[in-house]
Structures are given as C-alpha cells and as structure tokens.
Amino acid sequence: MPVNPPVLGPSAHHDGSPLYVSDPAPRVGQKVDVFVRTSKAMAARGVHVRSTPDGEPAYTEALVDREAGDELWWRASVPVVNAELGYRFLIETGTPGRRRWLNGTGLHDVDVTDTADFKLPTYDPPPAWAEGAVVYEIFPDRFARSAAHPVGALPDWAVPAEWDDPVAYGTPAGTKQVYRGTLWGVAEKLDYLRRLGIDALYLTPFFPSRSNHRYDASSFDFVDPLLGGDEALKELTAQAHLRGIKVIGDITLNHTGDMHPWFRRGQADPASAEAGFYYFGADRDQYASFFGVPSLPKLDHRSEELRRRLYEGPDSVIARYPAEFGLDGWRVDVAQSAGRYGAIDLNARMARSVRETLRAVAPETLLLAEHQFDASATLRGDGWHGTMAYAGFTRPVLGWLGGSGTPELWGVPGRPPVHGGGEMAAVMRQFAALIPWRAVTHNMTLLDSHDMPRFRSVVGAERQALGVALLMTLPGLPMVFAGDEVGVAGALHTEDGRRPFPWDEGAWDQGTYEVYRSLIALRRSHGALRSGGLRWLHAGEDFVLFERALPEETVVVQVSRAAHEPVAAPFAASHLLGGSDLVPGAPLPSDGPAFHVWRVERG
C-alpha cells in the first residue's frame, strides 16, 4: 500500500458512498453503476471494472460519464452475481505497457490481490436512523443520580462513594465503588443530551452483577435494581424516543459472572443443561474464563440451549430487550473472542444468529461489536453492522496527536507508534480498505471510552479539540464518552477515566464544551459529513486535508497539529468553521494547532 495517501495532483478516486455507487444495498441479479474520477493529468485512455462473479475474473468497460474541471468521471454498470460484489478499477495510461490498479488502498503500478478490492454487500443494510448518528457513551453508575428515585441499601460487595470522591483506580475497590448513578438519573438529563446534539445513547451493561462495570452479569433476566430496575430502563427508552434519541444496550456473549445461576447450576450438576454452557474441566473447579479471570467464566456456544436462551429466537435475551424494553441496538462486548476457544470457532455463526434474531423481532435494531483489532473478517457477512474502530481510528489518531506520550493500551511490546499526518491517514485507509463502505460508516469511532484513559489527559486540552474535529468530520458513528465534552480528565488508569460527570457547570471547561457543541451541530447540518465519501487530498507531517462529498454537497476539512508550510487551495470555498473563505491558488491556512472546515463552491 502507499506510505501516504494521494496528495494534490494526478490521482484517481472511488469509494462506496452515494457519489460513486448508484445503489448502496443492491440485490443479487441487479446491476449497479459505479463511478471513478481521474484527473486529466493522468491521461487515462480507458477504464475497466474488474469483478469476480462466481469466482471468475470479469471486466466491464467504463465510459466517460462527464467532465468536471480537470477531472473525468467514468461510469460502468456492473452485474451483482453473488452476495458480495468485489471490484477494482484497471486504468490504462498514455504510456504503452503501463497500467494502474485502483483499489481500496489507492493506486498501484503493479498487479494486486483481491484483498483490498472495493466491497458492496447485498445483505439488508443497517437501520436508516443510524447513518451518521452521534453516539454518547454512559457508564450508568457515574453519569447522574436521581433525587426522585434514590438508591436504597447497597449490596454487600459495594463500596459506597460520594459524587466528588476520587476513583480508587488500580485497587480492589476500583471496580466496587458505587456512586449511585441510575437510569432514572440518565432519563432526567436527556434534555442536556438533546441540546448537545446527541442522536443515540450507548449504555454500558445494566444487568445485575458484583461490580460497578457489570461485565460480570449475575443474571440477564432483569435490570439491576441499583440502576432503577426494569421500570427505569423502560422509562429511559420512552423518554429518549420522545426526544428523537435512540438507546443502545451492552451485553457480553463471551462470558457471564461466576455468580450467574447458569454457572452455579452447571458447576454443581454435570447432568444439567447448564453444564454445557461453559468449558468445565474434569475438576469442576477448573474452567475456561475470559483472560484467565475466574469471576468471568467463558460461554460454550456449542450448546443449543445456551444459544436459544441467549440469542437465538424470539424468547432469547437478545430479542427480549428490544421487544419489551424499547432498546434500539446492542453493543456486544469482546466480540472477537465470543464463540472461540482453541479449535472451536463459532464466532461468525454467532454474529449471523444474533442478526437473524433481531431481523425477525426488531429489524431496525443496530448491531455493533467491540473489536479492538482487525475486525475486517467479521464485517463482510450478515453479522455485525459495525464495530468499535479502535484499530482503524483511535490508535492512528493517538499516534498523531498523542505522540510519545501515548500509553500502550493493547499490550503491544515496545513504545506506541508516533505518526505523521500521512501515516495516520494511511492506517485509517488500510483498515477501511478491507471492509464494505457501509461498515466504515457504521463503525463506532471514538477518542476514548470507559476502557481507556481520557483522550484529553493523553494529548492535552489543545489537541483534544483537534481529535474532536477528526471525530466529527470523518466517516463513522462518532462516540463521545460522557464528560469528555466538559473536560473530565483521567490519565493514570482505565478506571481513572470513569470519573463521575460534574454537573456543576462552574467546573466545566466551557471552551471544550463549545468545540463539541459546534462540531456536532456542524455534522448534523451537513449531510456530506454524516454520509459523504472520503477522499484524502493532502497529508503532511503536521496536517491533513480531506474531502467529504455527496452529489449535492462537498465539504473540505483541514486539521493541523502544528504550524506548517501552506499549500495552495485548489478550490473556491466558503468557511463553515475556523477560518475565512478560500480563493483558488491562495494559500490554505498554515496555523496550528487548528482546524478549518469549508463548503466547496460549485461552478
């Protein structure tokens, strides 16, 4: 792949957005028009689309559809033969014996494999409400208390904490502290979230457990009374829907807690159905667990009864909460591990089964997965709509804006990478090239989460604004971890980032709040930022320049981590945020740290 994305100059571009693909959700047997743009400086003499119907290479000639300035737009009508249409472009140049391939990673002068071909699936698309949605993550214990519905007596495992108490990170109390935030409290703060511009809430688990993070569920049958119980969740979803806000829940299909009745019964009785739900050894005190943590016994998806109870069919846990509680989506915890153990690999079947169940009982449900690494193999079938884009977004952004101060969060030996702008863009492009475009646009992009230190504490307040600019203007479902927008810190430990939300506005960083509010508003008011294609225009060591485009609108974004040599503007554009209008040939802003957003004028 290219070390850097293409810079201003001779180039070609295609992606899966509406500007380049006539139908983002075709059916087998149809034809779809695909477009590619080439600069006239390339002197392209012809273009063909290579696809592989039934595994055999086929070439469809593209014809010039139109001219636009110094570019040619080529169109080809390609038959959709299989469940996924994979294709790339063969561009004949003016030099005899020279041709170039264009795939998801860019232009290539030599033959390439099919791996990074553009991918167009025929499966049912994600729900329409999710496209470009801004998501807000809430760790329920730490967001808001409710005076009208106070928490009663705490269970024996809990360590009581006042709202302003520091988090006891890195100690046994770190996962036991209870600050008494509830789902009632979340419901009472929905108007705040609506004013911020939030489209969807993502709640970390609400099931009962023996920890404040609740990834060690002791039941899937009801909502934890500490959070307000079933009634609170139903009220939250109802009130959120009245305000146009969706609600996404969080579930672990990889493991339960060791206090779950399934585990207790299965461990005690080898003849029980539940004994097949886990990987018990001959000594029933020995069993597989997540990361070797005994309190997190791992589920065995070979059990038909487990699958029926958990995610297959209308009576399953996965089906019940959208149907009865009004949930609009699920985020599946540690999805890369679920269904996998040694030689057993039922991961893909699990994802398909979850999607089939939701399609039958709640077809407008969004299905996201936690996946901190290369998720491409899980996003090409009829499973997850998207994943959390740690690898394809979070890590490259931290590498560019965090530099040598970035902590290594995923166990990779050595120091974390330090990127220039071109390297950041190249990493993003490499991961995006391996998945369908609609998975790119439905991956949840994030700067941080409850599983990380706060982004602000890693990169500093000034560069936090640059991260937010990237988050709100690049493709995906941008996710804000509650408190990021008002300057909540948390640097030393994952748990340290789970600080309670400061409802005293005097403690807010108002400048940071305005950055979030204005960029969210900009995203909501410009379709190109929510669902437009992505073309990298220029990437230097200290700045990146990229285009988001729909047929009716083109928006250009520049983000600079430091002052740099300017480049000339190739377009006329009116400013939307952070600068003045542009004149072709005039220098683009070269200040930094800074970000600028323009709408390109069309002649």
Side-chain angles (χ1 to χ4, degrees):
M1 62 168 290
V3 174
N4 290 300
V7 297
L8 297 172
S11 63
H13 183 72
H14 173 85
D15 58 46
S17 70
L19 189 60
Y20 302 95
V21 176
S22 63
D23 185 352
R27 297 298 184 186
V28 172
Q30 296 178 343
K31 286 190 173 183
V32 62
D33 288 345
V34 295
F35 296 81
V36 62
R37 63 202 291 184
T38 65
S39 69
K40 292 180 180 178
M42 283 189 71
R45 298 170 61 88
V47 174
H48 285 79
V49 179
R50 179 194 184 271
S51 58
T52 53
D54 295 333
E56 292 292 335
Y59 294 85
T60 303
E61 185 178 9
L63 302 175
V64 174
D65 183 76
R66 62 189 185 274
E67 295 186 24
D70 65 350
E71 292 182 317
L72 295 177
W73 286 75
W74 306 74
R75 174 174 55 84
S77 186
V78 182
V80 180
V81 176
N82 305 114
E84 178 185 86
L85 171 63
Y87 60 97
R88 62 180 182 263
F89 295 89
L90 177 63
I91 303 173
E92 302 173 61
T93 70
T95 303
R98 301 292 291 177
R99 61 186 185 186
R100 308 186 80 181
W101 289 103
L102 176 68
N103 65 8
T105 58
L107 280 167
H108 303 266
D109 293 323
V110 296
D111 286 349
V112 294
T113 69
D114 297 353
T115 305
D117 280 2
F118 300 105
K119 300 165 182 67
L120 185 59
T122 61
Y123 306 112
D124 291 337
W129 65 260
E131 187 169 55
V134 178
V135 182
Y136 192 86
E137 182 191 2
I138 291 177
F139 194 88
D141 180 59
R142 309 291 164 84
F143 186 62
R145 291 176 172 177
S146 170
H149 299 86
V151 174
L154 298 183
D156 58 2
W157 58 264
V159 176
E162 296 304 317
W163 203 251
D164 294 328
D165 285 352
V167 176
Y169 58 85
T171 75
T175 60
K176 305 297 183 182
Q177 281 180 300
V178 173
Y179 285 78
R180 297 183 177 88
T182 66
L183 300 180
W184 293 114
V186 177
E188 292 167 10
K189 299 298 185 181
L190 287 171
D191 288 336
Y192 163 78
L193 298 174
R194 182 71 274 175
R195 289 192 299 272
L196 183 60
I198 299 303
D199 298 298
L201 305 183
Y202 152 46
L203 305 171
T204 58
F206 46 68
F207 299 113
S209 74
R210 294 182 62 82
S211 70
N212 53 40
H213 57 69
R214 295 181 171 81
Y215 287 102
D216 55 333
S218 57
S219 175
F220 294 125
D221 293 338
F222 56 92
V223 176
D224 194 337
L226 271 180
L227 297 179
D230 290 1
E231 186 183 356
L233 179 59
K234 291 177 180 179
E235 178 67 10
L236 171 57
T237 58
Q239 290 300 320
H241 293 163
L242 287 175
R243 293 162 175 81
I245 298 175
K246 305 294 184 178
V247 182
I248 299 167
D250 195 342
I251 191 168
T252 299
L253 302 182
N254 179 68
H255 56 268
T256 66
D258 63 349
M259 297 301 292
H260 198 291
W262 296 350
F263 180 76
R264 309 301 286 184
R265 193 174 301 122
Q267 188 177 43
D269 183 2
S272 66
E274 291 82 359
F277 288 14
Y278 302 87
Y279 297 98
F280 288 109
D283 178 352
R284 303 192 70 75
D285 288 332
Q286 301 297 314
Y287 49 87
S289 60
F290 177 59
F291 257 84
V293 179
S295 62
L296 302 175
K298 188 173 175 66
L299 292 165
D300 185 347
H301 291 254
R302 292 176 297 177
S303 167
E304 182 178 353
E305 179 62 12
L306 169 71
R307 299 194 306 269
R308 186 192 68 79
R309 292 190 198 179
L310 196 53
Y311 57 82
E312 287 185 352
D315 298 323
S316 64
V317 175
I318 282 289
R320 180 184 171 218
Y321 284 85
E324 296 182 19
F325 289 76
L327 276 191
D328 303 289
W330 283 111
R331 178 263 195 188
V332 177
D333 182 55
V334 292
Q336 70 268 10
S337 298
R340 289 189 168 121
Y341 184 64
I344 300 165
D345 190 348
L346 302 176
N347 187 266
R349 188 178 81 172
M350 175 198 67
R352 288 195 302 272
S353 296
V354 174
R355 180 104 165 250
E356 287 171 6
T357 295
L358 292 173
R359 185 184 299 116
V361 300
E364 290 302 298
T365 305
L366 180 66
L367 183 56
L368 302 174
E370 180 192 30
H371 201 308
Q372 297 186 356
F373 315 104
D374 177 7
S376 58
T378 71
L379 291 172
R380 292 183 57 183
D382 198 12
W384 319 126
H385 290 129
T387 63
M388 299 180 79
Y390 284 105
F393 183 87
T394 313
R395 285 176 63 96
V397 170
L398 280 170
W400 189 49
L401 296 180
S404 60
T406 303
E408 181 46 66
L409 305 171
W410 290 274
V412 179
R415 298 185 65 84
V418 178
H419 294 322
E423 292 165 322
M424 176 189 70
V427 173
M428 290 182 177
R429 188 170 189 170
Q430 179 171 334
F431 278 93
L434 301 180
I435 60 178
W437 176 254
R438 74 183 186 201
V440 174
T441 60
H442 288 83
N443 276 345
M444 193 152 64
T445 53
L446 62 156
L447 299 174
D448 56 20
S449 71
H450 69 282
D451 279 331
M452 293 173 56
R454 294 277 181 166
F455 183 76
R456 177 189 185 93
S457 294
V458 175
V459 306
E462 195 170 36
R463 286 192 172 184
Q464 180 186 8
L466 306 183
V468 181
L470 293 169
L471 182 69
M472 296 300 166
T473 59
L474 283 167
L477 308 179
M479 188 197 85
V480 179
F481 183 28
D484 280 348
E485 76 277 17
V486 298
V488 171
L492 300 176
H493 194 279
T494 294
E495 293 165 13
D496 188 33
R498 302 172 184 176
R499 300 181 188 183
F501 191 100
W503 287 106
D504 176 5
E505 294 190 25
W508 294 5
D509 182 331
Q510 295 292 341
T512 296
Y513 178 82
E514 179 56 26
V515 167
Y516 276 88
R517 190 205 62 77
S518 61
L519 281 165
I520 292 172
L522 187 73
R523 183 181 182 88
R524 290 175 60 85
S525 59
H526 291 278
L529 294 178
R530 292 172 72 90
S531 55
L534 170 65
R535 184 166 67 135
W536 295 98
L537 298 175
H538 200 108
E541 187 72 11
D542 291 316
F543 79 103
V544 293
L545 181 73
F546 55 89
E547 169 192 281
R548 300 294 311 282
L550 288 173
E552 63 274 13
E553 179 185 48
T554 299
V555 173
V556 171
V557 181
Q558 179 175 286
V559 179
S560 306
R561 70 178 180 184
H564 53 83
E565 290 294 320
V567 297
F571 42 69
S574 55
H575 77 279
L576 298 174
L577 267 184
S580 57
D581 295 349
L582 296 177
V583 176
L588 288 166
S590 57
D591 56 325
F595 61 86
H596 306 272
V597 185
W598 302 274
R599 179 195 285 135
V600 175
E601 303 294 341
R602 299 192 174 184

